Every structure is written in C-alpha cells, then in structure tokens.
Amino acid sequence: MVLCLKRFDSCGIMLSYRCQCGCRHCVYACGPQWHDWMSREDLENLLSGIQETWENPRGLHLAGGEPFFNFELLVFAVEKCRERNLPIEYVETNAGWCTSYEEARERFKILKEAGLTSVLISCSPFHAETVPLKRTLWAIKAAREVFGAYHVIVYMEHFVDLIRGFGEDRPVPLSEWIRIYGKEEAGRLFWKGYSLFSGGRAGFELGILAERYPYERFRGMNCMTEILLSRHCHFDPYGNYIPLFCGGLSLGRVEGDLRRFVDDYEAGKSRIIKILVEAGPFGLAEWARRNFGFEPDPEGYVGKCHLCVAVRKFLVDTGEDFPELTPRAFYENLRSHLPALHV
C-alpha cells in the first residue's frame, strides 16, 4: 500500500516559535528561548506554493509563537496574502504585547488596512500565567471595535470570568487555580475545559492533573488520519511541513515546488512516519524499545500524543539522525521555563 498525503485545504503559517509565554500546554513548545523568524523571501515562496497547491481552500491562519512580536513581518504577510487572494481565516495572538487599548486599536487598524478581516485572541489559564487579563481585555475590546464582534474569536471566552476572579492586573500562576479548586477540579477545567491535546508540552507539564494510562492502552491506535488524511497542516519558519498539530514532527522541508512535494509524498520512505501511520505511537514505542532501549514511563501517559512525543524525545536524545524529528529545539524546550507544578 502506498501511503500518500491528502492535499491540504487549510493551513497555519508559523512566522516564528518565539513568544513570551512558553505556555505549559503549547503544542509547538514555543517560548522566549526561540529567536528565528521566517524570512520574507521564504514567506513569499510559501504563499506562492500554497496558491498553486490549493484547489478548494478553506483558509489559512497566521500565527507563531506570537506574530505581533515582529509586527512588520506580520503586516507584510497579510499584504502578500491579499495580493494573492489567499483567504486568511484569522491572525492568532496571545495579547501579551498589548500594553494599552490604544496600542491594540492602532495595530489592528493597520492590519485591517493591509487586508485582515478577523483575529483570534487566546484566553486561558495557561496564557494568564504570563499575560495579565487586562491585556487580553484591551485586545478584545479593540479588535471588536476595528473588525466587528462577529470577526473576533476569543479562544476560549468562558475563561474570562474565571480568570477575572483572580484579578485583572497580574499574571495568575496555575498553582493558584490548584490551591483554590483542588487538583481534580483544576484538572477538569484545564483538560476538558480547554479540550487540550496531550502532545507538545501538555503531557509533560500538565499530566500531573490528568488520568494516565499504561502505554499498552494505545495499541492499535494509528496516526493515519492525523498525518496523511486530515487536510490541515502547519508550516514553520524553517520550511517544515507539520501534519495537523504534530509539533516536532516534519514530513520534510518544503524548499521548492510545494504542489509536487504534497502530490509525490510517500510516508513509506520515512521509517518513523511509516510506523506512526501504520502502528501509531505504541508501535513507535515498541520499535524504539527493541532498537534503542526505550523504557515506557511506569506512571503512564495522558494520551497517545503524549506517548508519541515522549518516544520521539527519547529518540532525539540518543543522538541518532532522525530527519523527521525536527526542529531539535522543539525537543530541547519541552519543559516550560515556568516553575514546576506541585499537587
């Protein structure tokens, strides 16, 4: 069986992995340790490739990291999407840059003039650890004024009132939520209330607040849908084609013809991708166990994505060359710079 890649009909463009938050739930292990940004040349080449590859586009979103930390590049990206008639679903932001309502309104007006019609503003206990709620509220108010309320997505808005209970003027450590709500209720609020993925940092940083299972539980759960069939992907600043939300896993670097890259892709040519598509993270764990001495965590894993990232990190740490497991800094930053949680 040839394991081919479905053409994407929506995608995210990660202008950088850099942000000030370094959230515990981050699928891409973003944070202040990262410094690189997508070059304008690479961005233009990528947009041209997207335009040539899409047949029935649903849209793309511009993100990071935190894209507002390189505002000129963000405006440039919006302008170039408009020139190519590429539909932008939204620009994603954590509002950490927003030091006043006036600043937010001015920046949103510039983006609207460049062609942007919608914005997504993150609001969660994880972002609130580094972003005071007042910054989020300034951004929401300004965005609704500039774009109209219908074109502002607050993800997730039900956390606004919960965070407000701790105050608007300071960041709120997750430890305060745990102290007030207790481990079980805080875990429910975080995992179910935010619909967390267990990939990226979440399993490592927040697994202490969730039920964990032996790795055998994930036997038979392959990743065919996530890797080959989802029709959604992300492109990072290094040109990596990231399937769905699989941070740290690259189907390859797109350095030329994106359409040919997608249409000619065969998962069977990559040992790790092939294993994940056919046998999932459990299969990858067994392969790593036989060939490199991987030992599953006796405390178990929150989900199959947690297991997958744990095995991939182990493989990277062996020093062997696995081109699919990139960028390496993803694996170096899987632990947040924030204080460890204790319950």
Side-chain angles (χ1 to χ4, degrees):
M1 178 176 64
V2 178
L3 303 175
C4 298
L5 179 63
K6 284 278 189 182
R7 278 201 193 177
F8 60 92
D9 61 9
S10 65
C11 65
I13 298 177
M14 299 173 60
L15 298 178
S16 178
Y17 285 93
R18 182 170 177 76
C19 80
Q20 88 287 8
C21 289
C23 293
R24 301 180 195 270
H25 74 308
C26 187
V27 174
Y28 303 105
C30 298
Q33 305 94 329
W34 298 80
H35 298 284
D36 296 334
W37 291 82
M38 186 178 290
S39 72
R40 293 191 177 205
E41 179 182 0
D42 288 346
L43 176 58
E44 289 204 75
N45 290 337
L46 175 60
L47 292 176
S48 294
I50 292 172
Q51 186 177 35
E52 293 167 1
T53 307
W54 266 353
E55 293 177 348
N56 298 297
R58 288 193 288 124
L60 63 82
H61 64 272
L62 298 169
E66 176 46 63
F68 277 77
F69 281 166
N70 191 334
F71 190 63
E72 290 184 357
L73 178 62
L74 177 58
V75 174
F76 177 82
V78 172
E79 291 173 341
K80 293 304 174 181
C81 287
R82 180 183 64 183
E83 289 176 9
R84 290 173 170 78
N85 292 317
L86 291 173
I88 302 178
E89 293 179 289
Y90 52 82
V91 165
E92 187 172 349
T93 180
N94 61 42
W97 51 272
C98 181
T99 59
S100 70
Y101 163 72
E102 290 76 18
E103 178 188 21
R105 183 178 59 188
E106 182 60 29
R107 289 197 173 193
F108 288 145
K109 286 171 64 178
I110 292 171
L111 287 169
K112 185 176 182 179
E113 291 169 1
L116 185 66
T117 60
S118 184
V119 65
L120 182 150
I121 301 170
S122 297
C123 180
S124 75
F126 319 113
H127 297 92
E129 281 207 273
T130 52
V131 179
L133 180 62
K134 64 181 179 181
R135 297 194 177 200
T136 306
L137 296 176
W138 285 332
I140 293 170
K141 180 181 177 181
R144 285 173 173 167
E145 178 180 317
V146 173
F147 299 109
Y150 182 76
H151 299 285
V152 178
I153 305 162
V154 181
Y155 192 86
M156 297 180 163
E157 192 164 8
H158 65 271
F159 279 112
V160 169
D161 287 337
L162 291 173
I163 298 169
R164 186 180 278 121
F166 294 94
E168 299 182 6
D169 297 327
R170 64 178 179 89
V172 183
L174 285 194
S175 57
E176 292 195 23
W177 294 75
I178 296 169
R179 178 176 58 83
I180 291 175
Y181 286 95
K183 174 184 174 181
E184 184 175 339
E185 180 63 13
R188 186 192 66 79
L189 279 172
F190 298 160
W191 281 95
K192 294 184 179 179
Y194 196 79
S195 300
L196 285 177
F197 291 98
S198 65
R201 286 198 188 107
F204 298 96
E205 291 283 328
L206 301 169
I208 194 172
L209 298 171
E211 188 172 0
R212 299 169 71 138
Y213 308 94
Y215 87 117
E216 293 92 346
R217 181 186 179 99
F218 309 107
R219 187 195 305 267
M221 299 182 185
N222 69 44
C223 301
M224 172 78 78
T225 298
E226 293 89 340
I227 294 176
L228 297 181
L229 305 180
S230 74
R231 300 177 70 89
H232 183 75
C233 66
H234 288 79
F235 300 98
D236 80 359
Y238 309 111
N240 291 303
Y241 186 110
I242 302 169
L244 199 57
F245 306 112
C246 301
L249 185 68
S250 174
L251 301 191
R253 290 187 63 187
V254 181
E255 299 179 302
D257 188 332
L258 175 58
R259 182 168 185 164
R260 177 172 293 179
F261 174 93
V262 173
D263 290 347
D264 292 349
Y265 184 81
E266 292 184 21
K269 294 181 179 180
S270 162
R271 53 183 169 174
I272 289 180
I273 301 297
K274 185 174 188 293
I275 292 169
L276 287 172
V277 167
E278 294 182 338
F282 174 82
L284 186 65
E286 290 291 270
W287 179 80
R289 195 173 191 174
R290 290 193 304 270
N291 292 280
F292 298 96
F294 172 76
E295 288 296 333
D297 188 338
E299 294 187 3
Y301 302 91
V302 179
K304 74 170 187 176
C305 297
H306 182 195
L307 172 61
C308 182
V309 177
V311 178
R312 289 192 271 126
K313 176 171 172 47
F314 169 83
L315 291 172
V316 168
D317 289 346
T318 66
E320 295 284 335
D321 181 27
F322 299 103
E324 310 93 331
L325 307 185
T326 190
R328 186 177 181 86
F330 168 87
Y331 298 95
E332 295 169 350
N333 291 310
L334 276 172
R335 286 294 183 181
S336 171
H337 66 288
L338 298 167
L341 290 178
H342 298 285
V343 297

